[in-house]
Structure formats: C-alpha cells, structure tokens
Amino acid sequence: MTSIEVQTNPFQNDNKQWLLSPHGTDPGTTPSITLDVSAFTQATHYPNGFIVSGIVLGKITANRKYGPYDDTATDGRQTAAGILFAARKVPNLLDLTKDVGSGLLVHGFVDPAKLPIANAATGGGFLDTNARTDLRMIHFAS
C-alpha cells in the first residue's frame, strides 16, 4: 500500500558566494567523494545539521574519506585536497558513523574572504598558507 501522508524534508540553500566563476564546476570536473562525518565538528562545520560548502578538505589516509583540512593533523588531512563543492545534510546527528557523499572542487576561482570557516576555527577546514600551496589548481583572488 502506498502512503500518502505529508512528509517534510529539511533543506538548505547553498551559499556559494566564495565561488567567483563557474570555471571548474562543469559535470565531471568535481570528483565524487565521501565525507567522514565523524571528522567534522558540529559547532564549526554543521551547526544546523548541514555541512556547508566551501570547507577546505583533506583526505584521511586510513579510510580514504574526506574531512576538514587541518595543517596539524597526522591522518592525511594535513594536506589540502580541495574545497567542498556542495552543502550536505548530516544523515543522522545521533550516529556520526553514517557518511555522506558530495563533490570536491579541485580547480577554479575562489574568493578566500568568503569561505565559510574562519582561520583558527575549532576542527579545521579553513584556508591557510599551506592549504593555498597544496591547492595549486585553485586561484584565490578577492
């Protein structure tokens, strides 16, 4: 039997003011990735249940998933791999082992002043000098 009850699904408009042009966003240019939700900090990265786009990401060596870039990490995230292209809903706030897929911006034009995570934020995910060096295919301009 088909249910016709009313359902609500939360969503968030994706704020991509940090993206200066569509260059690098064509289909097939933003690789599909899996986010390790347990690597993110709720207060910094998903205060309303959505991991925001524009977070600088690193690849965790052990599980090959992505988490917030952190220059002081020792699990692979100390090397910036790209920028989270699209906001993603955390599947279950009570079970952070449920990962989620998204896309990774690996080249393009970005306004660093409009990235969502401020320098020195708890849990990483922000752009620093080393991340700029790692992300050679992304042009950072204001």
PDB file of all heavy atoms in Angstrom, residues 18-21 23 105 107-111 137-141:
ATOM      1  N   TRP A  18      31.559  32.270  -2.220  1.00  0.00           N
ATOM      2  CA  TRP A  18      33.012  32.085  -2.277  1.00  0.00           C
ATOM      3  C   TRP A  18      33.482  31.689  -3.673  1.00  0.00           C
ATOM      4  O   TRP A  18      34.644  31.852  -4.003  1.00  0.00           O
ATOM      5  CB  TRP A  18      33.456  31.045  -1.244  1.00  0.00           C
ATOM      6  CG  TRP A  18      32.734  29.731  -1.335  1.00  0.00           C
ATOM      7  CD1 TRP A  18      31.600  29.380  -0.654  1.00  0.00           C
ATOM      8  CD2 TRP A  18      33.068  28.606  -2.147  1.00  0.00           C
ATOM      9  NE1 TRP A  18      31.216  28.097  -0.997  1.00  0.00           N
ATOM     10  CE2 TRP A  18      32.103  27.599  -1.909  1.00  0.00           C
ATOM     11  CE3 TRP A  18      34.093  28.341  -3.058  1.00  0.00           C
ATOM     12  CZ2 TRP A  18      32.128  26.363  -2.539  1.00  0.00           C
ATOM     13  CZ3 TRP A  18      34.117  27.103  -3.686  1.00  0.00           C
ATOM     14  CH2 TRP A  18      33.146  26.133  -3.419  1.00  0.00           C
ATOM     15  N   LEU A  19      32.585  31.172  -4.491  1.00  0.00           N
ATOM     16  CA  LEU A  19      32.937  30.731  -5.842  1.00  0.00           C
ATOM     17  C   LEU A  19      32.834  31.923  -6.790  1.00  0.00           C
ATOM     18  O   LEU A  19      31.770  32.504  -6.969  1.00  0.00           O
ATOM     19  CB  LEU A  19      31.984  29.616  -6.262  1.00  0.00           C
ATOM     20  CG  LEU A  19      32.339  28.807  -7.490  1.00  0.00           C
ATOM     21  CD1 LEU A  19      33.692  28.125  -7.338  1.00  0.00           C
ATOM     22  CD2 LEU A  19      31.271  27.759  -7.743  1.00  0.00           C
ATOM     23  N   LEU A  20      33.959  32.314  -7.406  1.00  0.00           N
ATOM     24  CA  LEU A  20      33.988  33.512  -8.234  1.00  0.00           C
ATOM     25  C   LEU A  20      33.504  33.291  -9.659  1.00  0.00           C
ATOM     26  O   LEU A  20      33.133  34.241 -10.334  1.00  0.00           O
ATOM     27  CB  LEU A  20      35.405  34.097  -8.258  1.00  0.00           C
ATOM     28  CG  LEU A  20      35.863  34.703  -6.929  1.00  0.00           C
ATOM     29  CD1 LEU A  20      37.331  35.101  -7.008  1.00  0.00           C
ATOM     30  CD2 LEU A  20      35.002  35.898  -6.568  1.00  0.00           C
ATOM     31  N   SER A  21      33.539  32.055 -10.153  1.00  0.00           N
ATOM     32  CA  SER A  21      33.056  31.780 -11.502  1.00  0.00           C
ATOM     33  C   SER A  21      32.670  30.306 -11.580  1.00  0.00           C
ATOM     34  O   SER A  21      33.053  29.513 -10.736  1.00  0.00           O
ATOM     35  CB  SER A  21      34.134  32.099 -12.545  1.00  0.00           C
ATOM     36  OG  SER A  21      35.052  31.032 -12.664  1.00  0.00           O
ATOM     37  N   HIS A  23      33.861  28.282 -13.615  1.00  0.00           N
ATOM     38  CA  HIS A  23      35.005  27.513 -14.119  1.00  0.00           C
ATOM     39  C   HIS A  23      35.370  26.421 -13.109  1.00  0.00           C
ATOM     40  O   HIS A  23      35.509  26.681 -11.929  1.00  0.00           O
ATOM     41  CB  HIS A  23      36.208  28.425 -14.344  1.00  0.00           C
ATOM     42  CG  HIS A  23      37.432  27.684 -14.799  1.00  0.00           C
ATOM     43  ND1 HIS A  23      37.597  27.291 -16.101  1.00  0.00           N
ATOM     44  CD2 HIS A  23      38.511  27.250 -14.126  1.00  0.00           C
ATOM     45  CE1 HIS A  23      38.743  26.649 -16.207  1.00  0.00           C
ATOM     46  NE2 HIS A  23      39.320  26.610 -15.024  1.00  0.00           N
ATOM     47  N   LEU A 105      35.724  20.488  -5.217  1.00  0.00           N
ATOM     48  CA  LEU A 105      36.257  21.476  -6.161  1.00  0.00           C
ATOM     49  C   LEU A 105      37.776  21.359  -6.127  1.00  0.00           C
ATOM     50  O   LEU A 105      38.392  21.558  -5.076  1.00  0.00           O
ATOM     51  CB  LEU A 105      35.832  22.892  -5.777  1.00  0.00           C
ATOM     52  CG  LEU A 105      36.306  23.978  -6.739  1.00  0.00           C
ATOM     53  CD1 LEU A 105      35.446  23.977  -7.993  1.00  0.00           C
ATOM     54  CD2 LEU A 105      36.299  25.333  -6.088  1.00  0.00           C
ATOM     55  N   HIS A 107      39.729  22.610  -8.994  1.00  0.00           N
ATOM     56  CA  HIS A 107      40.286  23.762  -9.694  1.00  0.00           C
ATOM     57  C   HIS A 107      39.177  24.764  -9.956  1.00  0.00           C
ATOM     58  O   HIS A 107      38.010  24.410 -10.081  1.00  0.00           O
ATOM     59  CB  HIS A 107      41.008  23.355 -10.984  1.00  0.00           C
ATOM     60  CG  HIS A 107      40.111  22.987 -12.130  1.00  0.00           C
ATOM     61  ND1 HIS A 107      39.567  21.752 -12.268  1.00  0.00           N
ATOM     62  CD2 HIS A 107      39.693  23.713 -13.190  1.00  0.00           C
ATOM     63  CE1 HIS A 107      38.833  21.716 -13.378  1.00  0.00           C
ATOM     64  NE2 HIS A 107      38.897  22.892 -13.948  1.00  0.00           N
ATOM     65  N   GLY A 108      39.563  26.037  -9.968  1.00  0.00           N
ATOM     66  CA  GLY A 108      38.584  27.085 -10.173  1.00  0.00           C
ATOM     67  C   GLY A 108      39.064  28.393  -9.572  1.00  0.00           C
ATOM     68  O   GLY A 108      40.248  28.549  -9.245  1.00  0.00           O
ATOM     69  N   PHE A 109      38.124  29.323  -9.404  1.00  0.00           N
ATOM     70  CA  PHE A 109      38.419  30.647  -8.881  1.00  0.00           C
ATOM     71  C   PHE A 109      37.606  30.868  -7.613  1.00  0.00           C
ATOM     72  O   PHE A 109      36.372  30.749  -7.630  1.00  0.00           O
ATOM     73  CB  PHE A 109      38.072  31.718  -9.927  1.00  0.00           C
ATOM     74  CG  PHE A 109      38.914  31.603 -11.170  1.00  0.00           C
ATOM     75  CD1 PHE A 109      38.488  30.842 -12.249  1.00  0.00           C
ATOM     76  CD2 PHE A 109      40.140  32.233 -11.240  1.00  0.00           C
ATOM     77  CE1 PHE A 109      39.259  30.722 -13.389  1.00  0.00           C
ATOM     78  CE2 PHE A 109      40.930  32.113 -12.386  1.00  0.00           C
ATOM     79  CZ  PHE A 109      40.489  31.365 -13.458  1.00  0.00           C
ATOM     80  N   VAL A 110      38.296  31.188  -6.527  1.00  0.00           N
ATOM     81  CA  VAL A 110      37.662  31.266  -5.208  1.00  0.00           C
ATOM     82  C   VAL A 110      38.048  32.575  -4.520  1.00  0.00           C
ATOM     83  O   VAL A 110      39.206  33.001  -4.584  1.00  0.00           O
ATOM     84  CB  VAL A 110      38.105  30.055  -4.340  1.00  0.00           C
ATOM     85  CG1 VAL A 110      37.668  30.206  -2.900  1.00  0.00           C
ATOM     86  CG2 VAL A 110      37.563  28.759  -4.930  1.00  0.00           C
ATOM     87  N   ASP A 111      37.072  33.184  -3.845  1.00  0.00           N
ATOM     88  CA  ASP A 111      37.323  34.359  -3.010  1.00  0.00           C
ATOM     89  C   ASP A 111      37.558  33.857  -1.588  1.00  0.00           C
ATOM     90  O   ASP A 111      36.611  33.443  -0.910  1.00  0.00           O
ATOM     91  CB  ASP A 111      36.130  35.307  -3.047  1.00  0.00           C
ATOM     92  CG  ASP A 111      36.344  36.577  -2.232  1.00  0.00           C
ATOM     93  OD1 ASP A 111      37.302  36.629  -1.424  1.00  0.00           O
ATOM     94  OD2 ASP A 111      35.548  37.516  -2.397  1.00  0.00           O
ATOM     95  N   MET A 137      45.760  24.265  -8.222  1.00  0.00           N
ATOM     96  CA  MET A 137      44.858  24.451  -9.373  1.00  0.00           C
ATOM     97  C   MET A 137      43.687  25.385  -9.040  1.00  0.00           C
ATOM     98  O   MET A 137      42.826  25.616  -9.871  1.00  0.00           O
ATOM     99  CB  MET A 137      44.325  23.102  -9.843  1.00  0.00           C
ATOM    100  CG  MET A 137      45.410  22.121 -10.187  1.00  0.00           C
ATOM    101  SD  MET A 137      45.817  21.949 -11.908  1.00  0.00           S
ATOM    102  CE  MET A 137      44.293  21.824 -12.733  1.00  0.00           C
ATOM    103  N   ILE A 138      43.661  25.882  -7.812  1.00  0.00           N
ATOM    104  CA  ILE A 138      42.624  26.835  -7.433  1.00  0.00           C
ATOM    105  C   ILE A 138      43.268  28.214  -7.301  1.00  0.00           C
ATOM    106  O   ILE A 138      44.271  28.383  -6.614  1.00  0.00           O
ATOM    107  CB  ILE A 138      41.931  26.427  -6.104  1.00  0.00           C
ATOM    108  CG1 ILE A 138      41.223  25.088  -6.280  1.00  0.00           C
ATOM    109  CG2 ILE A 138      40.946  27.512  -5.661  1.00  0.00           C
ATOM    110  CD1 ILE A 138      40.574  24.545  -5.036  1.00  0.00           C
ATOM    111  N   HIS A 139      42.677  29.176  -8.003  1.00  0.00           N
ATOM    112  CA  HIS A 139      43.174  30.549  -7.951  1.00  0.00           C
ATOM    113  C   HIS A 139      42.376  31.289  -6.885  1.00  0.00           C
ATOM    114  O   HIS A 139      41.150  31.381  -6.971  1.00  0.00           O
ATOM    115  CB  HIS A 139      43.012  31.225  -9.315  1.00  0.00           C
ATOM    116  CG  HIS A 139      43.460  32.644  -9.315  1.00  0.00           C
ATOM    117  ND1 HIS A 139      44.779  33.025  -9.255  1.00  0.00           N
ATOM    118  CD2 HIS A 139      42.740  33.786  -9.329  1.00  0.00           C
ATOM    119  CE1 HIS A 139      44.868  34.334  -9.246  1.00  0.00           C
ATOM    120  NE2 HIS A 139      43.632  34.817  -9.301  1.00  0.00           N
ATOM    121  N   PHE A 140      43.071  31.793  -5.879  1.00  0.00           N
ATOM    122  CA  PHE A 140      42.430  32.539  -4.795  1.00  0.00           C
ATOM    123  C   PHE A 140      42.600  34.033  -5.049  1.00  0.00           C
ATOM    124  O   PHE A 140      43.709  34.548  -5.106  1.00  0.00           O
ATOM    125  CB  PHE A 140      43.038  32.153  -3.446  1.00  0.00           C
ATOM    126  CG  PHE A 140      42.802  30.722  -3.091  1.00  0.00           C
ATOM    127  CD1 PHE A 140      43.772  29.769  -3.304  1.00  0.00           C
ATOM    128  CD2 PHE A 140      41.577  30.319  -2.577  1.00  0.00           C
ATOM    129  CE1 PHE A 140      43.551  28.434  -2.986  1.00  0.00           C
ATOM    130  CE2 PHE A 140      41.340  28.991  -2.274  1.00  0.00           C
ATOM    131  CZ  PHE A 140      42.330  28.050  -2.476  1.00  0.00           C
ATOM    132  N   ALA A 141      41.483  34.721  -5.257  1.00  0.00           N
ATOM    133  CA  ALA A 141      41.502  36.155  -5.548  1.00  0.00           C
ATOM    134  C   ALA A 141      40.369  36.828  -4.796  1.00  0.00           C
ATOM    135  O   ALA A 141      39.362  36.206  -4.488  1.00  0.00           O
ATOM    136  CB  ALA A 141      41.338  36.392  -7.039  1.00  0.00           C
TER     137      ALA A 141
END
